[in-house]
Amino acid sequence: MEKRDLYDKDRNLADKTIFKNFPIPKGHYILVVLIFIQNSEGKFLIQI
């Protein structure tokens, strides 16, 4: 299973992790990165 680091509201790493699909505890956050790549034809590849 995939583990995720938890952060506080200021993006400081908390000393906790959770497994993917588990609820995020109140007062904690996860970071998510989205990447949009556009080719010469104007088509997009979206990575989450």
Side-chain angles (χ1 to χ4, degrees):
M1 273 191 120
E2 181 181 334
K3 286 178 110 177
R4 294 180 170 177
D5 291 322
L6 293 174
Y7 296 84
D8 66 14
K9 64 181 176 87
D10 297 316
R11 291 188 186 175
N12 296 313
L13 185 61
D15 196 23
K16 296 181 181 180
T17 59
I18 59 168
F19 287 105
K20 184 177 180 179
N21 297 326
F22 278 49
I24 299 168
K26 188 174 183 177
H28 290 88
Y29 303 87
I30 60 171
L31 294 181
V32 178
V33 177
L34 303 173
I35 300 172
F36 296 80
I37 302 170
Q38 186 177 17
N39 68 14
S40 60
E41 297 174 0
K43 296 179 182 177
F44 285 94
L45 172 66
I46 302 171
Q47 294 288 323
I48 299 175

Short mmCIF file of all heavy atoms in Angstrom, two decimals:
data_model
loop_
_atom_site.label_atom_id
_atom_site.label_comp_id
_atom_site.label_asym_id
_atom_site.label_seq_id
_atom_site.Cartn_x
_atom_site.Cartn_y
_atom_site.Cartn_z
N MET A 1 0.83 -1.19 0.00
CA MET A 1 0.00 0.00 0.00
C MET A 1 0.87 1.25 0.00
O MET A 1 1.94 1.27 0.60
CB MET A 1 -0.89 0.03 1.23
CG MET A 1 -2.20 -0.69 1.09
SD MET A 1 -3.25 -0.29 2.49
CE MET A 1 -4.58 0.43 1.62
N GLU A 2 0.37 2.27 -0.63
CA GLU A 2 1.09 3.55 -0.71
C GLU A 2 0.93 4.34 0.58
O GLU A 2 -0.18 4.49 1.09
CB GLU A 2 0.52 4.35 -1.88
CG GLU A 2 1.17 5.68 -2.11
CD GLU A 2 0.54 6.43 -3.27
OE1 GLU A 2 -0.03 5.81 -4.17
OE2 GLU A 2 0.62 7.67 -3.25
N LYS A 3 2.05 4.85 1.09
CA LYS A 3 2.01 5.69 2.29
C LYS A 3 2.16 7.15 1.88
O LYS A 3 2.85 7.46 0.90
CB LYS A 3 3.15 5.32 3.24
CG LYS A 3 2.94 4.03 3.98
CD LYS A 3 4.14 3.74 4.83
CE LYS A 3 3.77 3.90 6.27
NZ LYS A 3 4.89 3.55 7.16
N ARG A 4 1.54 8.02 2.63
CA ARG A 4 1.62 9.46 2.37
C ARG A 4 2.11 10.18 3.62
O ARG A 4 1.68 9.87 4.73
CB ARG A 4 0.24 10.01 2.00
CG ARG A 4 -0.26 9.47 0.69
CD ARG A 4 -1.61 10.03 0.38
NE ARG A 4 -1.97 9.70 -0.99
CZ ARG A 4 -3.13 10.00 -1.53
NH1 ARG A 4 -4.04 10.64 -0.83
NH2 ARG A 4 -3.39 9.66 -2.77
N ASP A 5 3.00 11.16 3.41
CA ASP A 5 3.44 12.01 4.51
C ASP A 5 2.35 13.02 4.81
O ASP A 5 1.63 13.46 3.92
CB ASP A 5 4.72 12.76 4.14
CG ASP A 5 5.92 11.84 4.02
OD1 ASP A 5 6.03 10.91 4.82
OD2 ASP A 5 6.75 12.08 3.12
N LEU A 6 2.25 13.41 6.06
CA LEU A 6 1.29 14.43 6.47
C LEU A 6 2.04 15.73 6.78
O LEU A 6 3.17 15.70 7.26
CB LEU A 6 0.51 13.97 7.70
CG LEU A 6 -0.42 12.79 7.48
CD1 LEU A 6 -1.03 12.35 8.80
CD2 LEU A 6 -1.51 13.13 6.49
N TYR A 7 1.38 16.84 6.51
CA TYR A 7 1.95 18.18 6.72
C TYR A 7 0.99 19.02 7.54
O TYR A 7 -0.21 18.75 7.59
CB TYR A 7 2.19 18.86 5.38
CG TYR A 7 3.21 18.14 4.53
CD1 TYR A 7 2.86 17.06 3.73
CD2 TYR A 7 4.54 18.54 4.53
CE1 TYR A 7 3.79 16.39 2.97
CE2 TYR A 7 5.49 17.88 3.77
CZ TYR A 7 5.10 16.80 2.99
OH TYR A 7 6.03 16.14 2.24
N ASP A 8 1.53 20.08 8.17
CA ASP A 8 0.66 21.03 8.86
C ASP A 8 0.24 22.12 7.88
O ASP A 8 0.60 22.08 6.70
CB ASP A 8 1.34 21.60 10.11
CG ASP A 8 2.54 22.47 9.82
OD1 ASP A 8 2.75 22.88 8.65
OD2 ASP A 8 3.29 22.77 10.77
N LYS A 9 -0.52 23.10 8.36
CA LYS A 9 -1.06 24.14 7.48
C LYS A 9 0.01 25.02 6.84
O LYS A 9 -0.23 25.67 5.84
CB LYS A 9 -2.06 25.02 8.25
CG LYS A 9 -1.46 25.82 9.38
CD LYS A 9 -2.52 26.62 10.10
CE LYS A 9 -1.95 27.34 11.28
NZ LYS A 9 -1.39 28.61 10.96
N ASP A 10 1.22 25.00 7.40
CA ASP A 10 2.32 25.80 6.85
C ASP A 10 3.27 24.97 5.99
O ASP A 10 4.39 25.38 5.72
CB ASP A 10 3.10 26.46 8.00
CG ASP A 10 2.25 27.42 8.78
OD1 ASP A 10 1.50 28.20 8.15
OD2 ASP A 10 2.31 27.39 10.03
N ARG A 11 2.84 23.78 5.60
CA ARG A 11 3.61 22.83 4.79
C ARG A 11 4.84 22.28 5.50
O ARG A 11 5.80 21.87 4.86
CB ARG A 11 4.02 23.43 3.44
CG ARG A 11 2.88 23.66 2.51
CD ARG A 11 3.42 24.05 1.16
NE ARG A 11 2.33 24.42 0.26
CZ ARG A 11 2.51 24.90 -0.94
NH1 ARG A 11 3.74 25.08 -1.41
NH2 ARG A 11 1.49 25.20 -1.69
N ASN A 12 4.82 22.30 6.81
CA ASN A 12 5.89 21.66 7.58
C ASN A 12 5.56 20.18 7.72
O ASN A 12 4.42 19.82 8.03
CB ASN A 12 6.02 22.29 8.97
CG ASN A 12 6.44 23.73 8.89
OD1 ASN A 12 7.37 24.07 8.17
ND2 ASN A 12 5.74 24.59 9.60
N LEU A 13 6.55 19.35 7.50
CA LEU A 13 6.36 17.91 7.59
C LEU A 13 6.01 17.51 9.01
O LEU A 13 6.73 17.83 9.95
CB LEU A 13 7.63 17.19 7.13
CG LEU A 13 7.59 15.68 7.03
CD1 LEU A 13 6.54 15.23 6.01
CD2 LEU A 13 8.96 15.16 6.65
N ALA A 14 4.87 16.85 9.17
CA ALA A 14 4.48 16.32 10.48
C ALA A 14 5.19 14.98 10.64
O ALA A 14 5.64 14.38 9.67
CB ALA A 14 2.97 16.15 10.56
N ASP A 15 5.27 14.50 11.83
CA ASP A 15 5.96 13.22 12.08
C ASP A 15 4.96 12.07 11.99
O ASP A 15 4.95 11.19 12.84
CB ASP A 15 6.63 13.27 13.45
CG ASP A 15 7.66 12.16 13.62
OD1 ASP A 15 8.16 11.66 12.60
OD2 ASP A 15 7.94 11.80 14.77
N LYS A 16 4.09 12.11 10.95
CA LYS A 16 3.06 11.10 10.79
C LYS A 16 2.90 10.74 9.32
O LYS A 16 3.17 11.55 8.44
CB LYS A 16 1.71 11.62 11.30
CG LYS A 16 1.67 11.92 12.77
CD LYS A 16 0.30 12.40 13.17
CE LYS A 16 0.26 12.72 14.65
NZ LYS A 16 -1.06 13.19 15.06
N THR A 17 2.45 9.52 9.07
CA THR A 17 2.10 9.08 7.73
C THR A 17 0.76 8.37 7.79
O THR A 17 0.33 7.91 8.86
CB THR A 17 3.16 8.12 7.14
OG1 THR A 17 3.26 6.99 7.98
CG2 THR A 17 4.51 8.78 6.98
N ILE A 18 0.10 8.28 6.63
CA ILE A 18 -1.13 7.52 6.52
C ILE A 18 -1.05 6.72 5.22
O ILE A 18 -0.25 7.01 4.34
CB ILE A 18 -2.40 8.40 6.50
CG1 ILE A 18 -2.36 9.39 5.34
CG2 ILE A 18 -2.60 9.09 7.82
CD1 ILE A 18 -3.67 10.10 5.09
N PHE A 19 -1.89 5.71 5.12
CA PHE A 19 -1.98 4.95 3.88
C PHE A 19 -2.98 5.62 2.95
O PHE A 19 -3.95 6.26 3.40
CB PHE A 19 -2.42 3.52 4.16
CG PHE A 19 -1.35 2.68 4.79
CD1 PHE A 19 -1.41 2.36 6.13
CD2 PHE A 19 -0.28 2.22 4.04
CE1 PHE A 19 -0.43 1.59 6.73
CE2 PHE A 19 0.71 1.45 4.63
CZ PHE A 19 0.63 1.13 5.97
N LYS A 20 -2.73 5.51 1.65
CA LYS A 20 -3.63 6.06 0.65
C LYS A 20 -5.04 5.50 0.89
O LYS A 20 -5.19 4.35 1.27
CB LYS A 20 -3.14 5.70 -0.75
CG LYS A 20 -3.94 6.30 -1.86
CD LYS A 20 -3.35 5.96 -3.21
CE LYS A 20 -4.17 6.58 -4.31
NZ LYS A 20 -3.60 6.27 -5.62
N ASN A 21 -6.04 6.32 0.65
CA ASN A 21 -7.46 5.99 0.83
C ASN A 21 -7.91 5.97 2.29
O ASN A 21 -9.05 5.64 2.57
CB ASN A 21 -7.84 4.68 0.14
CG ASN A 21 -7.65 4.74 -1.36
OD1 ASN A 21 -7.84 5.79 -1.97
ND2 ASN A 21 -7.25 3.65 -1.96
N PHE A 22 -7.02 6.31 3.23
CA PHE A 22 -7.42 6.48 4.62
C PHE A 22 -7.77 7.95 4.82
O PHE A 22 -7.23 8.82 4.15
CB PHE A 22 -6.28 6.09 5.57
CG PHE A 22 -6.17 4.62 5.82
CD1 PHE A 22 -6.18 3.71 4.78
CD2 PHE A 22 -6.06 4.14 7.11
CE1 PHE A 22 -6.06 2.35 5.00
CE2 PHE A 22 -5.94 2.78 7.35
CZ PHE A 22 -5.95 1.88 6.29
N PRO A 23 -8.68 8.25 5.72
CA PRO A 23 -9.02 9.66 5.96
C PRO A 23 -7.84 10.45 6.48
O PRO A 23 -7.03 9.95 7.27
CB PRO A 23 -10.14 9.60 7.00
CG PRO A 23 -10.30 8.19 7.40
CD PRO A 23 -9.42 7.33 6.56
N ILE A 24 -7.74 11.70 6.05
CA ILE A 24 -6.67 12.59 6.50
C ILE A 24 -7.11 13.18 7.85
O ILE A 24 -8.19 13.77 7.93
CB ILE A 24 -6.42 13.71 5.48
CG1 ILE A 24 -6.00 13.09 4.14
CG2 ILE A 24 -5.36 14.68 5.98
CD1 ILE A 24 -5.99 14.05 2.98
N PRO A 25 -6.29 13.03 8.89
CA PRO A 25 -6.68 13.55 10.20
C PRO A 25 -6.87 15.07 10.17
O PRO A 25 -6.18 15.78 9.45
CB PRO A 25 -5.49 13.18 11.10
CG PRO A 25 -4.75 12.11 10.38
CD PRO A 25 -4.99 12.35 8.92
N LYS A 26 -7.81 15.54 10.96
CA LYS A 26 -8.09 16.97 11.06
C LYS A 26 -6.82 17.72 11.47
O LYS A 26 -6.08 17.29 12.34
CB LYS A 26 -9.19 17.21 12.09
CG LYS A 26 -9.68 18.62 12.13
CD LYS A 26 -10.88 18.78 13.04
CE LYS A 26 -11.38 20.19 12.98
NZ LYS A 26 -12.58 20.36 13.79
N GLY A 27 -6.57 18.84 10.77
CA GLY A 27 -5.39 19.65 11.07
C GLY A 27 -4.15 19.22 10.32
O GLY A 27 -3.09 19.81 10.49
N HIS A 28 -4.26 18.17 9.50
CA HIS A 28 -3.14 17.69 8.70
C HIS A 28 -3.52 17.75 7.23
O HIS A 28 -4.70 17.76 6.88
CB HIS A 28 -2.77 16.25 9.09
CG HIS A 28 -2.14 16.15 10.43
ND1 HIS A 28 -2.88 16.01 11.58
CD2 HIS A 28 -0.85 16.19 10.82
CE1 HIS A 28 -2.07 15.95 12.62
NE2 HIS A 28 -0.82 16.07 12.18
N TYR A 29 -2.50 17.74 6.38
CA TYR A 29 -2.71 17.87 4.94
C TYR A 29 -1.74 16.95 4.21
O TYR A 29 -0.73 16.53 4.76
CB TYR A 29 -2.48 19.32 4.50
CG TYR A 29 -3.37 20.29 5.23
CD1 TYR A 29 -2.98 20.83 6.45
CD2 TYR A 29 -4.61 20.64 4.71
CE1 TYR A 29 -3.82 21.70 7.14
CE2 TYR A 29 -5.44 21.51 5.39
CZ TYR A 29 -5.04 22.03 6.61
OH TYR A 29 -5.87 22.88 7.29
N ILE A 30 -2.05 16.67 2.93
CA ILE A 30 -1.12 15.97 2.05
C ILE A 30 -0.78 16.91 0.90
O ILE A 30 -1.53 17.84 0.61
CB ILE A 30 -1.70 14.65 1.51
CG1 ILE A 30 -2.98 14.90 0.71
CG2 ILE A 30 -1.93 13.64 2.63
CD1 ILE A 30 -3.49 13.70 -0.05
N LEU A 31 0.36 16.68 0.27
CA LEU A 31 0.73 17.47 -0.90
C LEU A 31 0.38 16.68 -2.16
O LEU A 31 0.59 15.47 -2.22
CB LEU A 31 2.23 17.77 -0.91
CG LEU A 31 2.74 18.68 0.20
CD1 LEU A 31 4.24 18.90 0.05
CD2 LEU A 31 2.03 20.01 0.18
N VAL A 32 -0.18 17.37 -3.13
CA VAL A 32 -0.56 16.76 -4.40
C VAL A 32 0.08 17.57 -5.52
O VAL A 32 0.04 18.80 -5.51
CB VAL A 32 -2.09 16.74 -4.58
CG1 VAL A 32 -2.48 16.15 -5.91
CG2 VAL A 32 -2.75 15.98 -3.44
N VAL A 33 0.69 16.89 -6.47
CA VAL A 33 1.35 17.55 -7.61
C VAL A 33 0.63 17.14 -8.89
O VAL A 33 0.41 15.95 -9.12
CB VAL A 33 2.84 17.16 -7.69
CG1 VAL A 33 3.49 17.78 -8.91
CG2 VAL A 33 3.56 17.54 -6.42
N LEU A 34 0.26 18.11 -9.69
CA LEU A 34 -0.34 17.85 -11.00
C LEU A 34 0.61 18.35 -12.08
O LEU A 34 1.16 19.45 -11.95
CB LEU A 34 -1.68 18.59 -11.14
CG LEU A 34 -2.74 18.28 -10.11
CD1 LEU A 34 -3.93 19.21 -10.28
CD2 LEU A 34 -3.19 16.85 -10.22
N ILE A 35 0.80 17.56 -13.12
CA ILE A 35 1.68 17.95 -14.21
C ILE A 35 0.89 17.91 -15.51
O ILE A 35 0.26 16.90 -15.84
CB ILE A 35 2.91 17.02 -14.31
CG1 ILE A 35 3.71 17.09 -13.01
CG2 ILE A 35 3.77 17.39 -15.51
CD1 ILE A 35 4.83 16.08 -12.93
N PHE A 36 0.89 19.01 -16.26
CA PHE A 36 0.23 19.11 -17.55
C PHE A 36 1.31 19.29 -18.62
O PHE A 36 2.03 20.28 -18.60
CB PHE A 36 -0.71 20.32 -17.59
CG PHE A 36 -1.86 20.23 -16.63
CD1 PHE A 36 -1.69 20.53 -15.29
CD2 PHE A 36 -3.11 19.84 -17.07
CE1 PHE A 36 -2.76 20.45 -14.41
CE2 PHE A 36 -4.18 19.76 -16.19
CZ PHE A 36 -4.01 20.06 -14.86
N ILE A 37 1.42 18.33 -19.53
CA ILE A 37 2.40 18.41 -20.60
C ILE A 37 1.65 18.57 -21.92
O ILE A 37 0.78 17.76 -22.24
CB ILE A 37 3.27 17.14 -20.65
CG1 ILE A 37 3.98 16.95 -19.30
CG2 ILE A 37 4.27 17.20 -21.80
CD1 ILE A 37 4.66 15.61 -19.14
N GLN A 38 1.97 19.61 -22.67
CA GLN A 38 1.31 19.87 -23.95
C GLN A 38 2.28 19.59 -25.09
O GLN A 38 3.41 20.07 -25.10
CB GLN A 38 0.83 21.31 -24.01
CG GLN A 38 0.01 21.61 -25.24
CD GLN A 38 -0.51 23.04 -25.25
OE1 GLN A 38 -0.03 23.90 -24.52
NE2 GLN A 38 -1.51 23.29 -26.07
N ASN A 39 1.82 18.80 -26.07
CA ASN A 39 2.68 18.52 -27.22
C ASN A 39 2.46 19.55 -28.31
O ASN A 39 1.66 20.48 -28.17
CB ASN A 39 2.47 17.08 -27.73
CG ASN A 39 1.11 16.84 -28.35
OD1 ASN A 39 0.36 17.77 -28.66
ND2 ASN A 39 0.78 15.57 -28.55
N SER A 40 3.17 19.39 -29.43
CA SER A 40 3.11 20.38 -30.52
C SER A 40 1.75 20.40 -31.22
O SER A 40 1.44 21.35 -31.92
CB SER A 40 4.21 20.09 -31.54
OG SER A 40 4.04 18.78 -32.07
N GLU A 41 0.92 19.37 -30.99
CA GLU A 41 -0.42 19.34 -31.57
C GLU A 41 -1.47 19.96 -30.65
O GLU A 41 -2.65 19.97 -30.95
CB GLU A 41 -0.82 17.90 -31.89
CG GLU A 41 0.06 17.23 -32.93
CD GLU A 41 -0.27 15.76 -33.10
OE1 GLU A 41 -1.19 15.25 -32.42
OE2 GLU A 41 0.39 15.12 -33.93
N GLY A 42 -1.03 20.45 -29.51
CA GLY A 42 -1.94 21.06 -28.55
C GLY A 42 -2.63 20.06 -27.64
O GLY A 42 -3.50 20.43 -26.86
N LYS A 43 -2.26 18.79 -27.73
CA LYS A 43 -2.84 17.76 -26.87
C LYS A 43 -2.10 17.72 -25.54
O LYS A 43 -0.91 18.00 -25.48
CB LYS A 43 -2.75 16.39 -27.55
CG LYS A 43 -3.56 16.30 -28.82
CD LYS A 43 -3.41 14.92 -29.45
CE LYS A 43 -4.19 14.85 -30.75
NZ LYS A 43 -3.99 13.54 -31.41
N PHE A 44 -2.84 17.37 -24.49
CA PHE A 44 -2.27 17.36 -23.15
C PHE A 44 -2.11 15.94 -22.60
O PHE A 44 -2.97 15.08 -22.84
CB PHE A 44 -3.16 18.14 -22.16
CG PHE A 44 -3.06 19.61 -22.32
CD1 PHE A 44 -3.97 20.30 -23.12
CD2 PHE A 44 -2.09 20.34 -21.66
CE1 PHE A 44 -3.88 21.67 -23.27
CE2 PHE A 44 -2.00 21.71 -21.80
CZ PHE A 44 -2.89 22.38 -22.61
N LEU A 45 -1.03 15.72 -21.87
CA LEU A 45 -0.84 14.54 -21.06
C LEU A 45 -0.89 15.04 -19.63
O LEU A 45 -0.13 15.94 -19.25
CB LEU A 45 0.52 13.89 -21.33
CG LEU A 45 0.90 12.75 -20.39
CD1 LEU A 45 -0.03 11.57 -20.55
CD2 LEU A 45 2.34 12.34 -20.62
N ILE A 46 -1.79 14.51 -18.84
CA ILE A 46 -1.97 14.97 -17.45
C ILE A 46 -1.53 13.86 -16.51
O ILE A 46 -2.04 12.74 -16.57
CB ILE A 46 -3.43 15.37 -17.18
CG1 ILE A 46 -3.85 16.48 -18.17
CG2 ILE A 46 -3.61 15.81 -15.74
CD1 ILE A 46 -5.32 16.81 -18.14
N GLN A 47 -0.58 14.16 -15.65
CA GLN A 47 -0.08 13.21 -14.65
C GLN A 47 -0.51 13.68 -13.28
O GLN A 47 -0.32 14.83 -12.91
CB GLN A 47 1.44 13.12 -14.70
CG GLN A 47 1.97 12.54 -15.98
CD GLN A 47 1.71 11.05 -16.08
OE1 GLN A 47 1.76 10.32 -15.12
NE2 GLN A 47 1.40 10.61 -17.29
N ILE A 48 -1.07 12.78 -12.49
CA ILE A 48 -1.49 13.10 -11.13
C ILE A 48 -0.72 12.23 -10.16
O ILE A 48 -0.54 11.09 -10.35
CB ILE A 48 -3.01 12.88 -10.96
CG1 ILE A 48 -3.77 13.79 -11.90
CG2 ILE A 48 -3.42 13.11 -9.52
CD1 ILE A 48 -5.26 13.58 -11.91
#
